[in-house]
Every structure is written in C-alpha cells, then in structure tokens.
C-alpha cells in the first residue's frame, strides 16, 4: 500500500512541551515538506528537504525543527518556542522536479 | 498583494449544476498549475495538474490555464453532493520546490 502516512492523527500538547509529528513515505520521492494549515489562511510552508541530511527553512520555521536521516522519513518537532502551535499539520512529498506535491492525511495538534 | 488570490466562498450550488472555481496570480514565472480537493479534516488530494497554458479534461473536471491573464479555472460538470469540499489551487515555477497555494474555496453541493 503506497503513500504517505502521518502519525498521530490527533495530538494534544501541554504548554512548554515539545512534541514530534511523524511523516513516512514509500513513494520513493526525494523531496519532503511540512505545512501548517489554519482556517482561512491556506497552507504555509514550515520546512522542506530535497535530499537526505539536508533541509531548508520555509516561511514560518520559527519554533519548529526537522531532521532527514532517511529518505522515507521527515519528522517535525514543534518546540515550546512556538507560541501558537494549534493547527492542522500536513506532510507532502514530490519528485526531484518539485512540481507536483502529494499530501499525507495530516495531524491535528491542539495545545491544552 | 498575495501571489495567489482565491475567493474563499462558501459557494453553494444545487446538485447537477456546473461549478466554476477560479484563482488569479501575479508571478509570470509559474509554469505548473494544480487543483487539490480537501475534505474536512483530511489531507489535500491532487485533482488536476496542468503544465503551461491550455485546457485539461478528466471526467467531470476541466482545468483551464490562461497565462496571459494570469488566471486559472476549475470547472465541475454535473456536480454531486460528494463534490462538497474545499478546493485549493496551487502553482509553481518547477525545479525550485516552492509551491504557492491559494487559501481554498469551500464548495457545498446540495442534493
């Protein structure tokens, strides 16, 4: 069963806690992305990675961190420095051309 | 001015209607144009993909790109209640790994 998996589906965080969102793909895509979606604001790019062991900041990277140790995996850590982390987080992948992205099912993060 | 403008709606139509969804953009370097469908609490699903100008048809869906006007459209014929979702337009220059998304138009198709 090919595709992109994100876990968990729902995540609750207390103030001051770091949490890590998982993204795994078996599409053999080189590029992976993390977006944040808030109501009425569309998708905002947090981080992206074109190859293993390399990644770049997107438009709203502050308070987030990533790693890319394997081609299949691109976990996102939401740190306590992110002041408004409640949102829907989407992982996406694309081939080397970077023209068409495919999305995972998303993780909804709520701060308690 | 945003790079991509998309009317958020909501747009409400009766079943069987033809739906027209649109986006305008400002960056003439965009070459790849996509439409995604997103159901509530789900990830976006790629619906249509077009390179450069022209039309592309897939079943009840037609995507149009007018690069001279910087305007793209998605038409849905014989709309069904199952088409009720948020539709996101997206575009990129290709090779740069930066895709710009519209904010999405929420569509309701009433039975």
């Amino acid at each position: 069963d090919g595709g992109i998996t994100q876990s968990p589906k729902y995540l609750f965080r207390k103030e001051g806690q770091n949490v890590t969102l998982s993204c795994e793909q078996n599409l053999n895509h080189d590029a992976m992305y993390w977006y944040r979606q808030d109501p009425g604001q569309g998708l905002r790019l947090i981080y992206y990675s074109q190859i293993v062991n390399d990644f770049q900041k997107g438009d709203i990277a502050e308070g987030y961190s990533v790693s890319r140790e394997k081609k299949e995996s691109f976990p996102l850590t939401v740190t306590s420095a992110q002041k408004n982390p409640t949102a829907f987080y989407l992982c996406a992948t694309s081939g080397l051309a970077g023209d068409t992205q495919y999305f995972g099912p998303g993780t909804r993060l709520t701060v308690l | 001015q945003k790079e991509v403008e998309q009317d958020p709606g909501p747009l409400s139509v009766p079943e069987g209607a033809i739906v027209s969804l649109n986006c305008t953009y400002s960056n003439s370097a965009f070459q790849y144009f996509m439409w995604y469908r997103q159901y509530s609490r789900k990830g976006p699903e790629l619906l249509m993909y077009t390179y450069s100008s022209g039309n592309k048809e897939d079943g009840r869906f037609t995507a149009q790109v007018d690069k001279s006007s910087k305007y793209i459209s998605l038409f849905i014929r014989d709309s069904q209640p199952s088409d009720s979702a948020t539709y996101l337009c997206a575009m990129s220059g290709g090779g740069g790994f930066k895709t710009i998304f519209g904010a999405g138009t929420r569509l309701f198709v009433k039975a």
Side-chain angles (χ1 to χ4, degrees):
Chain A
D1 185 25
I4 305 165
T5 57
Q6 290 186 243
S7 62
K9 188 173 181 180
Y10 298 99
L11 186 57
F12 298 92
R13 191 193 94 167
K14 293 181 180 178
E15 295 279 352
Q17 244 182 1
N18 292 355
V19 291
T20 297
L21 283 59
S22 169
C23 178
E24 303 278 334
Q25 57 109 352
N26 61 6
L27 300 172
N28 200 33
H29 283 169
D30 290 281
M32 297 186 74
Y33 311 78
W34 275 105
Y35 291 92
R36 169 181 173 142
Q37 187 175 37
D38 296 280
Q41 292 199 41
L43 299 174
R44 292 186 289 170
L45 183 64
I46 304 172
Y47 269 97
Y48 67 100
S49 167
Q50 300 173 26
I51 57 172
V52 173
N53 293 322
D54 187 47
F55 47 83
Q56 285 77 41
K57 292 182 179 180
D59 300 318
I60 56 163
E62 185 175 348
Y64 300 97
S65 66
V66 293
S67 63
R68 187 85 186 276
E69 297 177 0
K70 298 186 300 181
K71 185 176 182 178
E72 302 79 16
S73 178
F74 191 41
L76 173 74
T77 297
V78 184
T79 75
S80 56
Q82 171 50 239
K83 297 306 178 190
N84 185 25
T86 294
F88 190 46
Y89 289 86
L90 288 159
C91 176
T93 70
S94 74
L96 271 178
D99 51 352
T100 307
Q101 296 182 18
Y102 298 87
F103 287 86
T107 292
R108 186 164 299 277
L109 173 63
T110 303
V111 174
L112 301 174
Chain B
Q1 182 189 7
K2 290 182 180 178
E3 280 192 280
V4 177
E5 299 275 2
Q6 183 175 12
D7 187 336
L11 179 63
S12 184
V13 302
E15 183 176 357
I18 296 175
V19 175
S20 173
L21 304 167
N22 311 293
C23 288
T24 59
Y25 63 95
S26 56
N27 189 341
S28 58
F30 289 144
Q31 297 282 347
Y32 300 89
F33 303 91
M34 286 74 70
W35 286 96
Y36 290 85
R37 177 175 62 196
Q38 186 176 24
Y39 292 113
S40 182
R41 299 186 186 89
K42 304 287 185 185
E45 168 195 9
L46 180 65
L47 203 56
M48 298 287 283
Y49 164 77
T50 308
Y51 171 71
S52 194
S53 282
N55 294 0
K56 185 172 184 178
E57 188 172 321
D58 184 1
R60 297 186 294 112
F61 299 90
T62 300
Q64 286 186 354
V65 175
D66 182 350
K67 291 187 71 180
S68 62
S69 302
K70 297 190 179 68
Y71 188 88
I72 69 170
S73 301
L74 177 71
F75 297 96
I76 306 174
R77 291 183 298 280
D78 187 24
S79 56
Q80 303 295 311
S82 59
D83 295 326
S84 298
T86 297
Y87 290 80
L88 304 166
C89 64
M91 44 202 79
S92 76
F97 300 91
K98 182 99 182 261
T99 298
I100 308 298
F101 291 85
T105 299
R106 193 148 187 207
L107 171 68
F108 294 97
V109 180
K110 298 177 293 186

